[in-house]
Amino acid sequence: MSKPSELEDRDRETLNKLCITPSGESILSQLGIETTAIKTIKPPWKRNKYRAIVNWLIKYKPLYDVINIEKVKGLLEAFYHLYEVEAWKEAGKILSVVLNTPTNEKLHNQLQTWSYYREQIDLYGKLLGKLNSEWDATCLGGLGNAYQFLGDYTRAIEFHEECLAIAREKGYRKGEGNALGNLGNAYSSLGDYTRAMKLYQQDLVIAREIGNCRGEGGALGNLGNVYHALGDYPRAIEFHQQCLAIEQEIANHQGQGDALGNLGNAYLCQGDYTRAIEFHQKRLAITQQIGNRQGEGETLGNLGITYYYQGDHRQAISYFEQKLAMTREIGDRRGEGSVLTNLGNVYESLGKYSQAISYFHKHLVIAQAIGDRQGEGAALGNLGTVYRSTGDYRQAISCFEQDLAIAREIRNRRGEGMALGNLGIVYNSLGEYYQAISYFEQDLAIAREIGDRSGEGAALGNLGVAYRYIGDYYQAISYFEQRLAIAQQIKDRWGEGAALGNLGTAYNSLGNYQQAVLYFEKRLAIARELEDRPGEATVLGNMGVVYRFLGNYPQAISYFEQHFTIANEIGDRAGAGRAMGNLGITLIKLEQYSKALEYLQTAVNISRSIGDRSTEAIALSNLAILYDKLGDRNLALEYCDFSLSIATELKIPLQKACIKLKQQLERSDK
C-alpha cells in the first residue's frame, strides 16, 4: 500500500495537471515580485497586501470540480490586492494571463467565454483610466461587449463610442475599426440594421486603407450577417464568400471556420439543407483541428438546427446534446442556454410539451442568472409558443407580454416585432381577430422600419391568416401574394412554401378547390425538395381537407393516411392527432361509424397525452356528431359538453359551433 505522503504527492500532481492557471512562481516573475524582498515593503498594510498576493498565487489550489470562477480565484484576488496598492501595470498583467483552457484565452476574455459579464465589468471599471490609452480602449471595448451580452445595448453603445473617440484621438486606426465593428454589433442587436450597416462599411474602409486583411474579413462577415438578419440571403452569401476568400488567403483558420458557418446558416435559411450541412461540416473539421471548442459547439448546434428543419429530430437531438455537453465543459453559460432552447424546440415539434417547457425554463433560469436580458426575452417567447401549442392562451399571453416588455426596455426592435407577432397569433387562436390584426400591423411596421424583409414577409403572412379567419378571403389572398413575392425575391424557399400553402387554404375557403389544389401541389413540391418532412405532412393534410370538401372521400383518406404516416415517422404527436381526427370526420361522411369512432378516440387520446387542448376539443365535438348519427343523444350531449367546456376555457371560435350543436341536439331530443 502507498504511504500517505506518496498519495498526497500524487494528488498534488493530479491537481497541478488540472489547474488552468500558470504556476504562481511564473506569474510572480512576470509581475516582478520577489518574495524575499516583501519584508522590506513599507508601510505594513502594503506589505500585508503583497504577502496576500503571493499566498493567493502560490498557495491557492482549487478543487477539480469547482465552478469556473473558483478556478481563477487566485488570479482575481491577486488583481484586487494589486489594485488596492495602486500597482496598475501589474494588475493589467494579471488580466492578460493566458489560461490553459480549451480556448486558451487571456483571463479577461475567458471570463466572457464563461459568461461572467458582471465580473468583467468590475475588473475593467477598476483599471479604466489607470494605465494608458491602449488599456483604456481595451477596458472600454470590454465594458461595451459585456453590457451587450447582458442586453444593455444603450450602455454598450456608450462605452463603444468612448472607445471610438480614444482611437480617433490617438490616430489608432485599427482600434477605430474595431470600435466601429463593436458599435455595429450593438446596433444590429437592437435591430437597427441601417446604422449597423453604415458602421460596418466604415470599418471595412479603414481595414482596407491600413491593409488589415483580418479586419477586412471581419467587416465583410459582419455585413453578411446584417443582410442575413434582413432576410436578404443572396447578398449575405456574397459577403460571406468574400470574407471566406480573404481568410483563406491569409490562412486565418478561425476566420475561415466562421465564414463557413455563416454560409451554412444562409443556405439553411434558403432551404438548401445539403449545402448547409456541407459548410457546417467543413467548419466543424476546422474547429476540431485548431482546438476551438466554443466554435465546435456552435457548429454542432447549427448542424442540429439544420437537421431539425429537415424533420430529422433524432439527429438534431444528437447534435444538440453534443453541443450541450461541450458548453458545460468550457463553461459557456450563454451557449448552454441557447442549446437548451434548441432542444426545447425539438421536443415541442414532437408534441412533448412538458419536456419542451422544462428546457425553455432552464434557459430562462440561466439567462436570468447571468443577466442576459435578450436571452431572458427569447426564453419567455419560447415558453409562450409552447403554452400556445397546448392551448394555454392566458399563460402564453403572459409570457409574450413579458418578452415584449424586455424587448422595449433594451430597445430591441426586432425582438419587439417578434413578440407583437406572437401576441397576434394567440389572439387569432382566441378568435379575437381584430386585436390580432392590430398586433400584426405593429409587427409589420417595425419590420419595414428596420428593413427586415424576412420579418416583413412573416407579418404579411400572419395578416393574411387573420383576414382569412374573418372571412375577407380576397384581402387574405392579397397579403399572401405579397408574402410570396418577398420570399421569392430573397430566395426564402421555406417562406415561399408557407405562402403557397396559405394561398391554397384561402382558395379552399372560397370554394375554389381546383385553385387550392394547384397551390397545395406547389407547396408539396417545395416541401419535398427541401426534405421538409413536417411541412410535407401538413400540406398532405390540407390536400385531404380539399378532397373531402370535393366529396372525393377515398382520395381525402389517402392524403390523411400519408399525413399520419409522416407525422408518426418524425414523432410529431400533435400532427398524428390531427390526422386521426380528419380521418374520423371523413369516415363519418362515409357512414363508417365504428372505424370513425376508433380514429376520433385515438385523436382524443393523443391530444390529451400531449396536452393539446384545442385538438382535443375538436375531436370531442366530432365524437358528439358521431354519437348523434348513431342515435345516442345522451352520449352526443355529453361529448358536446366536454368539447364546449374546453372551448369556453380556451376562448376559441369552436365555442360558438359547440353551442349551436348543443342546441340542435337538445331540440332533437325533444
Side-chain angles (χ1 to χ4, degrees):
M1 180 178 285
S2 300
K3 296 178 181 178
S5 59
E6 290 175 352
L7 286 173
E8 288 171 10
D9 289 342
R10 194 178 305 160
D11 290 343
R12 194 175 294 112
E13 184 181 343
T14 301
L15 282 173
N16 287 335
K17 285 180 180 178
L18 293 170
C19 187
I20 63 171
T21 61
S23 70
E25 290 79 6
S26 68
I27 296 173
L28 288 171
S29 176
Q30 290 178 44
L31 299 176
I33 297 175
E34 295 183 13
T35 55
T36 55
I38 289 178
K39 60 185 178 183
T40 64
I41 296 175
K42 294 180 180 179
W45 71 266
K46 193 172 187 179
R47 182 165 61 247
N48 289 336
K49 292 291 179 184
Y50 274 96
R51 281 176 176 159
I53 291 165
V54 171
N55 286 335
W56 277 109
L57 291 176
I58 292 180
K59 294 185 179 180
Y60 178 72
K61 302 293 181 186
L63 298 174
Y64 74 93
D65 59 348
V66 295
I67 60 174
N68 287 321
I69 198 73
E70 291 294 321
K71 295 175 184 178
V72 293
K73 186 175 181 180
L75 289 175
L76 295 175
E77 291 292 339
F79 171 89
Y80 288 118
H81 286 297
L82 287 165
Y83 168 78
E84 288 171 3
V85 298
E86 300 183 0
W88 319 123
K89 185 178 179 181
E90 289 75 12
K93 287 182 179 180
I94 289 288
L95 294 190
S96 300
V97 168
V98 177
L99 302 176
N100 181 30
T101 58
T103 49
N104 292 117
E105 294 175 286
K106 292 179 180 179
L107 172 62
H108 66 102
N109 290 326
Q110 185 67 55
L111 290 172
Q112 177 179 302
T113 298
W114 286 339
S115 304
Y116 289 115
Y117 309 122
R118 298 197 183 282
E119 286 77 5
Q120 276 190 302
I121 288 168
D122 185 49
L123 295 169
Y124 289 134
K126 282 182 163 47
L127 213 53
L128 183 61
K130 304 300 185 185
L131 284 167
N132 51 42
S133 57
E134 189 174 339
W135 257 109
D136 282 349
T138 298
C139 290
L140 289 166
L143 283 163
N145 289 333
Y147 278 110
Q148 181 173 332
F149 279 119
L150 289 171
D152 190 342
Y153 303 119
T154 302
R155 297 199 69 180
I157 288 167
E158 289 173 3
F159 283 114
H160 288 316
E161 284 179 340
E162 284 188 58
C163 181
L164 178 62
I166 289 176
R168 284 175 171 167
E169 179 188 336
K170 298 295 180 181
Y172 181 36
R173 296 289 277 163
K174 185 177 180 181
E176 182 181 353
N178 290 339
L180 288 164
N182 285 329
L183 274 168
N185 292 338
Y187 280 108
S188 182
S189 296
L190 284 170
D192 190 343
Y193 302 120
T194 302
R195 189 173 297 189
M197 196 176 296
K198 288 179 181 176
L199 290 162
Y200 291 145
Q201 286 167 343
Q202 292 177 61
D203 180 15
L204 180 62
V205 168
I206 291 173
R208 285 173 172 168
E209 179 186 312
I210 65 176
N212 178 9
C213 293
R214 182 169 290 200
E216 181 181 358
L220 288 165
N222 283 331
L223 282 164
N225 289 333
V226 169
Y227 280 108
H228 183 113
L230 290 170
D232 191 342
Y233 307 121
R235 291 292 301 280
I237 289 169
E238 286 178 23
F239 279 106
H240 290 317
Q241 285 175 336
Q242 291 178 60
C243 173
L244 179 61
I246 288 174
E247 304 296 6
Q248 288 173 332
E249 184 181 335
I250 64 175
N252 177 12
H253 296 301
Q254 182 158 329
Q256 288 177 49
D258 292 343
L260 289 165
N262 286 330
L263 282 164
N265 290 334
Y267 281 113
L268 167 63
C269 289
Q270 286 193 327
D272 191 342
Y273 302 130
T274 302
R275 294 189 77 178
I277 290 170
E278 176 188 335
F279 280 111
H280 287 318
Q281 289 287 5
K282 286 180 179 178
R283 187 194 183 198
L284 184 62
I286 289 175
T287 58
Q288 291 172 337
Q289 177 188 337
I290 65 175
N292 178 5
R293 299 288 278 164
Q294 193 166 19
E296 184 179 352
E298 288 173 3
T299 310
L300 289 167
N302 285 330
L303 281 164
I305 291 169
T306 307
Y307 281 106
Y308 166 69
Y309 275 106
Q310 280 190 302
D312 190 342
H313 296 123
R314 187 174 299 175
Q315 187 77 299
I317 288 171
S318 173
Y319 277 114
F320 290 145
E321 287 180 342
Q322 290 178 67
K323 179 184 176 181
L324 181 61
M326 193 162 294
T327 57
R328 287 172 173 169
E329 177 190 329
I330 66 174
D332 178 8
R333 295 282 279 161
R334 191 183 179 93
E336 181 182 353
S338 173
V339 74
L340 286 167
T341 278
N342 294 144
L343 282 162
N345 288 333
V346 177
Y347 283 104
E348 182 183 0
S349 295
L350 292 171
K352 298 181 178 180
Y353 300 126
S354 59
Q355 284 178 267
I357 289 170
S358 174
Y359 280 115
F360 292 145
H361 190 262
K362 286 176 183 176
H363 178 200
L364 179 62
V365 169
I366 289 174
Q368 290 172 333
I370 65 176
D372 176 10
R373 293 292 276 164
Q374 187 169 2
E376 183 179 352
L380 286 164
N382 284 318
L383 280 166
T385 300
V386 73
Y387 283 123
R388 184 180 68 213
S389 296
T390 63
D392 190 345
Y393 300 121
R394 191 173 301 172
Q395 188 73 2
I397 288 171
S398 173
C399 288
F400 290 140
E401 285 178 341
Q402 291 177 72
D403 179 17
L404 179 62
I406 290 173
R408 286 173 170 167
E409 175 196 322
I410 64 177
R411 293 169 47 208
N412 179 1
R413 293 292 276 164
R414 191 182 194 196
E416 182 181 354
M418 291 172 67
L420 289 164
N422 280 326
L423 280 165
I425 293 170
V426 176
Y427 281 103
N428 233 4
S429 300
L430 287 169
E432 297 183 31
Y433 305 121
Y434 292 101
Q435 181 68 59
I437 287 169
S438 173
Y439 281 118
F440 293 144
E441 286 175 341
Q442 292 177 69
D443 179 16
L444 179 62
I446 290 173
R448 285 175 170 166
E449 174 196 322
I450 64 177
D452 178 5
R453 296 287 278 161
S454 179
E456 181 183 356
L460 288 164
N462 285 330
L463 278 164
V465 172
Y467 276 100
R468 179 171 63 82
Y469 278 133
I470 62 176
D472 192 342
Y473 302 122
Y474 292 105
Q475 183 64 63
I477 287 168
S478 173
Y479 280 120
F480 292 144
E481 286 175 342
Q482 292 177 67
R483 161 74 157 132
L484 179 62
I486 289 174
Q488 290 172 334
Q489 182 183 339
I490 65 176
K491 292 184 168 52
D492 175 8
R493 293 289 278 164
W494 191 92
E496 183 180 353
L500 289 165
N502 280 326
L503 280 163
T505 304
Y507 279 105
N508 183 41
S509 299
L510 280 170
N512 190 340
Y513 302 125
Q514 298 305 323
Q515 190 73 1
V517 168
L518 286 174
Y519 278 114
F520 285 143
E521 285 176 343
K522 290 179 182 178
R523 169 71 179 105
L524 182 61
I526 289 177
R528 286 173 171 166
E529 171 199 323
L530 300 179
E531 299 179 27
D532 174 12
R533 298 284 278 162
E536 181 182 358
T538 299
V539 74
L540 286 166
N542 288 335
M543 291 180 79
V545 172
V546 175
Y547 279 101
R548 186 170 66 210
F549 279 121
L550 286 168
N552 189 342
Y553 301 128
Q555 186 67 61
I557 288 170
S558 172
Y559 281 119
F560 292 141
E561 286 176 341
Q562 290 178 70
H563 178 193
F564 176 76
T565 299
I566 294 174
N568 207 37
E569 284 175 4
I570 65 176
D572 177 10
R573 297 280 288 157
R578 288 193 297 272
M580 285 284 103
N582 276 322
L583 281 164
I585 296 167
T586 310
L587 289 166
I588 290 175
K589 300 285 186 183
L590 289 170
E591 299 183 359
Q592 296 182 23
Y593 299 135
S594 60
K595 207 165 186 182
L597 177 62
E598 179 187 335
Y599 283 127
L600 288 171
Q601 194 59 60
T602 301
V604 170
N605 293 338
I606 291 174
S607 57
R608 279 179 179 167
S609 70
I610 63 176
D612 184 355
R613 305 294 306 289
S614 181
T615 300
E616 180 187 353
I618 293 168
L620 288 167
S621 70
N622 284 313
L623 278 168
I625 292 168
L626 172 59
Y627 278 110
D628 182 41
K629 297 281 187 186
L630 291 169
D632 192 334
R633 297 288 159 72
N634 290 332
L635 265 180
L637 278 165
E638 188 177 327
Y639 277 107
C640 184
D641 284 336
F642 287 153
S643 178
L644 178 58
S645 174
I646 295 172
T648 303
E649 180 189 334
L650 299 181
K651 297 179 181 177
I652 55 177
L654 178 66
Q655 181 184 9
K656 291 180 181 177
C658 284
I659 291 171
K660 186 177 179 181
L661 175 61
K662 184 173 182 178
Q663 290 170 345
Q664 290 173 349
L665 291 170
E666 287 173 340
R667 280 197 300 269
S668 300
D669 201 35
K670 292 175 184 176

